[in-house]
Amino acid sequence: MKNIILKSLELVNFKGIPYAKFDDLNPKENSFFGKNEAGKTTLFNAFLWLLFGKDLNDRKDYEIKPLDSDNKPTKGLNSEVHAVLLINNEEVTISRIYKEKWSRIKGSEEKAFKGHETELIFNSVPVALKEFNLKISEIVKEDVFKLITNPLAFESLKKEEKRAVLVSVVGELTDQELFDSDEEFKTLESKLSNKTLTEYDAQLKASIKKSKEEKEDTPARIDELKRSKIEEVDFELIESQISNKKALITDIDSQIENSGKSVQKVIDANTKVQQEIQKLNFQKSEIEINLRAKAKQECFVDTSSIGALKSKLNNASTMLVNSNNYLDSLKHNISTYESNIKVLEADKADLVLKYNTENAKVFDVEKYSCTCPNCQTKFVYNDEPEKEFNIEKNQKLSKIIEQGNSIKSKIEEYKSQARKVMLGLAESQKDIEKYTSEINSLKEQIQNESNNLQSPKNEEEVYLSLVNDDAQISKLNIEISTLQSKIREVKPADVSELKQQKQALQSEIDTLTEKKASKSVNDNLDKRIEELSSREKELSQVISSLEKEQFIIERFKKVKSESLENSVNKLFKTVKFKLFEEQVNGGLNPTCIALIDGVPFLAANTASQINAGLDIINTLCKANDVTAPIFIDNRESVTELIPTDSQIINLVVSPEHEVLTLIK
């Protein structure tokens, strides 16, 4: 087993502690005494921050620096935590330093604050964050460390997380092991093809619900069918009445047929005349079609030459618009070039003035000369300043010349581009004049062609004139009129009374037929009632069978849950875990409730909670084969701790101790 012991801990400017160092800690038990806000909890936060960069609440981004009178982080300080650990009696030194970053402002002696950076040191060697985290994880995983160093850490987890930790420690009985342990469970397994136990359970619940709903609806449906049955009648009497009325209808149909035969002769004669009229109208229609074509030909005017000229006019107009747009674009480009040249010329003039000013500068001999005390003669005691002056002056002049040449080159380039655009400007102007002239010419031609066209005749007037003058159409009109005079008026026979009698008899037959059909309706209703009664019994059996399977599933879950609870609780001495809650319907809901002598963890007193937490830590240490220092806050509330192999760090509230004091 890996044993981790805190040998020494040093804090520098960490939260409310300016400096504190605790050496040679007892490998078994240590107690830190201090009044409230003396920094007891800060020790644990500092230890966690050293290893993982987080506090007790798993926060990364929180203020660790001391605060000034305005409750703001004090500047000019670095926050540091250093520790020496004994890992299986081998010393490991670890440091984390939260440093301020300052950089000198250009051209000034002052420095500006640029934020913070973290320096990590492992066994006296600075390391990067990734390497540091890897080395810490090799000692102990972060999630495990937090659970085995704080008695209340496990209970602060969500129930799903607590269950996962416990299951990882004891392992869980597999479904297959349970299937093999019981014949009913084995039968259940055979029904899980292509589905999980949870899915099959949901399927059963849905089937039971559907079957119960159908069974509950069945009695009402049977009552409704019984109420729908028709009263029994004398079917032989009805059959006799229907036969008599059908015979009467046959007699009426015969009378109607005889009265209509004389009318049919007139209708047939009229039909023959109408056929002759139709033939003559067809001949007349063919002649009119030919006359319509003749009238259209006489009124036709050829305008194809004008259409061709208008097409050319549209093309020329489009080209004129494009040429004008192109001309505007060229003018804009020339304006841009001229504007750029004007700006560059101004820059060039500024450079000439700058060059003349710089070139006029001379070395100040007086500044670097002295007088001989003996002969009063002036001389330059060192020629280096003049050399430096001339070098600097030549460099500045060369740079000005270089800038001037660059500007000159750009001016020439813009002028060259402007000249090219000017050539295009002249060509574009010629195109505009060309298309304008072409458009005027085409408009004149169109006008002349339009003036030469003859006034078109009215096609409808020409057509009507041709029709009126056609002798064949006049002859056909006379023949059609003669035939139409031969059509005789058809007066239908009055059989309305016979039809009314027939309709009344048919209505009586329909009523009798409906009464006759009631026997078939009642037979079908009786058959359906029998089917529903049979289905009701069948549904009772189906529901019973499905509920039996559901009961087996619930028993399966209960056996599995009891097995898991028993396995978990064997690992603990003072605390027991309730991993499942039974629902009203008998089902089980997964949970994770820690119980201390039957009392929920959070409802127990502080001493019971701490000892229960130590019990959990002992088990987790064995499962992970590691021990680490346990920080026990509010230690004064516990008179006696249960035994543990881990190092104990007691944090005790003591009003008598103004400053945090270690007692080994």
Side-chain angles (χ1 to χ4, degrees):
M1 178 177 282
K2 182 183 292 184
N3 295 305
I4 303 171
I5 294 173
L6 179 61
K7 185 177 181 182
S8 70
L9 184 65
E10 181 180 2
L11 282 67
V12 180
N13 297 321
F14 190 88
K15 294 180 77 65
I17 299 179
Y19 180 80
K21 185 175 183 181
F22 305 100
D23 287 321
D24 297 323
L25 270 69
N26 191 303
K28 292 296 183 182
E29 187 168 0
N30 303 269
S31 296
F32 287 89
F33 292 84
K35 66 176 184 177
N36 288 328
E37 298 184 0
K40 298 182 297 301
T41 306
T42 301
L43 288 179
F44 194 15
N45 277 323
F47 190 41
L48 291 174
W49 180 78
L50 168 67
L51 298 177
F52 308 111
K54 302 176 185 177
D55 69 353
L56 264 168
N57 297 315
D58 214 35
R59 295 179 301 174
K60 282 186 177 181
D61 186 17
Y62 74 104
E63 191 55 63
I64 62 172
K65 297 183 69 173
L67 302 178
D68 59 18
S69 57
D70 295 327
N71 205 38
K72 294 181 179 179
T74 306
K75 289 186 178 180
L77 299 177
N78 294 334
S79 295
E80 306 176 21
V81 178
H82 310 273
V84 177
L85 300 179
L86 284 177
I87 303 174
N88 289 347
N89 294 322
E90 182 179 344
E91 279 195 4
V92 174
T93 60
I94 305 173
S95 299
R96 186 185 290 261
I97 305 171
Y98 190 58
K99 302 172 64 175
E100 293 183 346
K101 290 194 297 184
W102 295 81
S103 62
R104 192 179 304 280
I105 301 173
K106 191 174 182 180
S108 171
E109 292 297 321
E110 295 183 3
K111 290 184 178 181
F113 177 64
K114 298 294 183 180
H116 293 85
E117 61 183 355
T118 301
E119 182 180 353
L120 300 166
I121 303 172
F122 195 92
N123 280 342
S124 303
V125 179
V127 293
L129 177 61
K130 186 176 181 180
E131 184 181 353
F132 181 86
N133 289 340
L134 179 61
K135 288 180 178 294
I136 296 299
S137 67
E138 288 173 351
I139 297 173
V140 61
K141 300 295 182 184
E142 180 180 348
D143 55 346
V144 174
F145 184 85
K146 290 182 177 180
L147 291 176
I148 64 174
T149 54
N150 179 3
L152 304 180
F154 181 83
E155 187 58 27
S156 68
L157 298 176
K158 297 178 181 178
K159 67 178 182 180
E160 295 83 5
E161 295 171 333
K162 290 190 286 187
R163 281 180 60 85
V165 171
L166 295 176
V167 170
S168 69
V169 172
V170 301
E172 191 172 12
L173 186 65
T174 66
D175 287 352
Q176 191 58 54
E177 289 173 331
L178 270 180
F179 287 141
D180 295 338
S181 68
D182 187 289
E183 284 300 323
E184 286 187 335
F185 293 165
K186 197 69 177 174
T187 304
L188 174 63
E189 181 189 13
S190 66
K191 297 179 181 179
L192 300 181
S193 57
N194 299 323
K195 61 175 73 73
T196 64
L197 184 65
T198 303
E199 291 170 342
Y200 184 55
D201 189 22
Q203 177 186 324
L204 286 176
K205 289 176 180 176
S207 298
I208 291 171
K209 181 181 178 184
K210 184 178 179 182
S211 298
K212 284 184 175 180
E213 288 174 351
E214 184 182 351
K215 184 174 180 292
E216 289 171 1
D217 290 343
T218 301
R221 293 168 66 189
I222 291 174
D223 288 342
E224 184 179 353
L225 290 172
K226 288 179 178 178
R227 288 194 299 270
S228 300
K229 292 181 70 173
I230 302 171
E231 184 180 354
E232 296 290 344
V233 294
D234 187 346
F235 293 106
E236 291 182 1
L237 177 60
I238 289 175
E239 192 68 48
S240 174
Q241 291 173 341
I242 290 173
S243 297
N244 292 335
K245 293 180 187 299
K246 284 183 177 179
L248 292 173
I249 287 175
T250 302
D251 184 53
I252 290 172
D253 286 339
S254 178
Q255 294 179 51
I256 292 172
E257 183 181 357
N258 292 332
S259 64
K261 285 181 179 179
S262 59
V263 176
Q264 187 62 41
K265 290 179 181 180
V266 177
I267 292 172
D268 291 343
N270 286 346
T271 300
K272 288 180 179 180
V273 173
Q274 287 171 344
Q275 288 173 349
E276 291 297 324
I277 292 172
Q278 187 176 3
K279 289 178 181 179
L280 294 175
N281 278 328
F282 180 73
Q283 294 174 22
K284 179 182 173 183
S285 177
E286 286 186 330
I287 295 170
E288 289 174 342
I289 289 171
N290 291 330
L291 293 176
R292 175 68 74 179
K294 186 176 180 181
K296 188 180 292 289
Q297 184 64 33
E298 287 184 19
C299 298
F300 175 72
V301 178
D302 186 6
T303 59
S304 60
S305 59
I306 294 176
L309 290 172
K310 287 183 177 180
S311 177
K312 289 181 180 179
L313 177 62
N314 288 336
N315 292 337
S317 298
T318 300
M319 294 303 294
L320 178 61
V321 171
N322 292 341
S323 297
N324 279 319
N325 290 339
Y326 182 56
L327 180 65
D328 291 341
S329 173
L330 293 177
K331 288 180 179 179
H332 176 74
N333 290 343
I334 289 173
S335 175
T336 301
Y337 289 139
E338 289 176 347
S339 176
N340 291 340
I341 290 170
K342 187 176 180 181
V343 172
L344 291 172
E345 289 288 359
D347 292 344
K348 181 180 176 183
D350 290 342
L351 284 175
V352 170
L353 181 62
K354 187 176 180 181
Y355 179 89
N356 292 335
T357 302
E358 189 64 33
N359 193 41
K361 291 181 180 179
V362 294
F363 179 69
D364 186 2
V365 178
E366 292 294 332
K367 184 178 179 180
Y368 296 95
S369 63
C370 58
T371 304
C372 177
N374 296 322
C375 63
Q376 302 300 312
T377 301
K378 287 189 175 183
F379 65 96
V380 177
Y381 63 86
N382 188 354
D383 61 351
E384 284 301 320
E386 185 174 4
K387 288 180 181 180
E388 290 179 2
F389 171 81
N390 290 329
I391 289 170
E392 184 178 355
K393 178 180 178 180
N394 288 333
Q395 287 176 344
K396 290 180 178 179
L397 292 175
S398 297
K399 188 173 182 181
I400 293 170
I401 292 170
E402 182 181 349
Q403 292 174 342
N405 289 334
S406 175
I407 291 173
K408 180 181 178 183
S409 175
K410 289 181 180 178
I411 291 172
E412 289 301 322
E413 182 180 347
Y414 285 137
K415 286 181 176 180
S416 174
Q417 294 292 338
R419 286 193 292 273
K420 290 179 182 178
V421 173
M422 289 295 293
L423 294 174
L425 203 66
E427 290 296 326
S428 181
Q429 191 64 51
K430 289 179 182 179
D431 288 341
I432 291 171
E433 293 171 359
K434 169 188 167 186
Y435 292 127
T436 302
S437 174
E438 184 177 343
I439 287 168
N440 292 333
S441 175
L442 287 168
K443 286 181 177 178
E444 185 178 349
Q445 292 179 53
I446 290 169
Q447 185 63 44
N448 292 336
E449 288 285 343
S450 298
N451 293 336
N452 292 333
L453 287 175
Q454 296 179 354
S455 299
K457 297 178 182 179
N458 187 296
E459 182 181 328
E460 190 62 29
E461 291 178 357
V462 173
Y463 168 70
L464 292 175
S465 176
L466 291 171
V467 169
N468 291 332
D469 295 341
D470 192 269
Q472 193 173 359
I473 287 179
S474 298
K475 180 184 176 184
L476 289 170
N477 283 336
I478 293 170
E479 291 177 0
I480 290 169
S481 179
T482 302
L483 287 171
Q484 286 176 339
S485 66
K486 293 180 180 181
I487 296 175
R488 293 168 60 191
E489 183 181 359
V490 179
K491 291 183 178 180
D494 186 6
V495 292
S496 57
E497 186 176 350
L498 291 172
K499 288 183 176 180
Q500 287 176 0
Q501 292 175 12
K502 179 181 177 181
Q503 187 175 0
L505 288 168
Q506 186 60 53
S507 177
E508 292 172 3
I509 290 172
D510 292 341
T511 302
L512 291 170
T513 302
E514 288 179 5
K515 288 184 178 181
K516 180 182 173 183
S518 64
K519 185 176 188 304
S520 175
V521 171
N522 287 347
D523 289 343
N524 290 332
L525 289 173
D526 287 337
K527 183 179 179 182
R528 183 58 183 152
I529 290 169
E530 185 179 349
E531 289 174 354
L532 287 175
S533 298
S534 176
R535 176 60 178 166
E536 187 176 14
K537 294 176 182 177
E538 181 185 340
L539 286 170
S540 298
Q541 295 175 351
V542 168
I543 293 168
S544 176
S545 176
L546 293 174
E547 287 179 338
K548 182 179 179 182
E549 289 191 45
Q550 195 176 35
F551 172 76
I552 294 172
I553 291 175
E554 293 303 326
R555 189 167 71 84
F556 181 93
K557 291 179 180 178
K558 190 171 184 180
V559 170
K560 187 172 182 179
S561 65
E562 289 174 350
S563 171
L564 178 61
E565 275 192 358
N566 291 335
S567 298
V568 167
N569 289 326
K570 285 179 182 177
L571 300 175
F572 300 94
K573 295 179 179 179
T574 62
V575 64
K576 298 297 178 186
F577 286 95
K578 183 179 180 181
L579 300 181
F580 297 91
E581 286 182 324
E582 190 167 350
Q583 298 174 283
V584 177
N585 62 1
L588 297 175
N589 260 349
T591 186
C592 190
I593 302 173
L595 301 173
I596 306 169
D597 295 328
V599 178
F601 190 97
L602 295 178
N605 58 45
T606 303
S608 296
Q609 288 183 359
I610 290 174
N611 274 317
L614 290 177
D615 189 15
I616 294 170
I617 288 174
N618 287 342
T619 298
L620 295 179
C621 286
K622 289 178 183 178
N624 291 279
D625 203 31
V626 62
T627 65
I630 303 174
F631 285 76
I632 303 177
D633 209 353
N634 297 315
R635 175 64 176 84
E636 71 282 354
S637 62
V638 188
T639 56
E640 186 177 353
L641 299 176
I642 67 170
T644 178
D645 293 333
S646 302
Q647 182 187 27
I648 298 295
I649 308 294
N650 295 313
L651 305 176
V652 185
V653 176
S654 174
E656 294 80 14
H657 292 84
E658 293 286 333
V659 179
L660 198 61
T661 304
L662 168 64
I663 299 178
K664 304 176 186 179

